[in-house]
Amino acid sequence: MILANVWVFSLTGGRTFTKVSKIPPRETALVLGTSPKMRSGKANPYFISRMDATALLYHHGKIKKIIVSGEKSKGYNEPDAMKNFLIYQGGVP
């Protein structure tokens, strides 16, 4: 596990940002899926944080297009939940 962490940090050095202003603009962003709700039925804070960050990047002109990904099965659709959150709560067209 330690080697895996060292490997990740070595690969991401200089590629992570703490300020939106430092993020280089990109044409398209890929947003990886996660469940909108936890098993308890409460909102998943990882989902909300991911969607809020995506909307923030869009509104700051850092991304122009958004691709949402995730599981889609009968009665469960992460990409649709992500799209709806971005449109109705994130203000992304």
Side-chain angles (χ1 to χ4, degrees):
M1 191 160 44
I2 292 170
L3 288 175
N5 278 339
V6 169
W7 181 66
V8 168
F9 280 112
S10 69
L11 288 178
T12 60
R15 296 181 186 187
T16 58
F17 304 93
T18 56
K19 295 181 181 180
V20 173
S21 62
K22 302 260 183 194
I23 298 172
R26 298 285 187 242
E27 185 69 27
T28 306
L30 171 63
V31 184
L32 302 177
T34 187
S35 176
K37 296 196 185 270
M38 298 187 299
R39 288 183 187 189
S40 66
K42 292 183 179 183
N44 182 349
Y46 293 105
F47 177 87
I48 293 169
S49 294
R50 195 171 295 178
M51 296 303 99
D52 286 344
T54 303
L56 180 73
L57 291 172
Y58 178 84
H59 291 301
H60 278 81
K62 298 297 179 173
I63 52 178
K64 295 178 183 177
K65 298 175 186 172
I66 301 167
I67 299 171
V68 293
S69 70
E71 181 184 344
K72 182 181 178 193
S73 56
K74 188 175 182 180
Y76 184 78
N77 191 332
E78 287 177 358
D80 200 45
M82 295 165 74
K83 179 186 88 170
N84 289 334
F85 186 99
L86 289 170
I87 292 170
Y88 299 112
Q89 292 178 302
V92 176

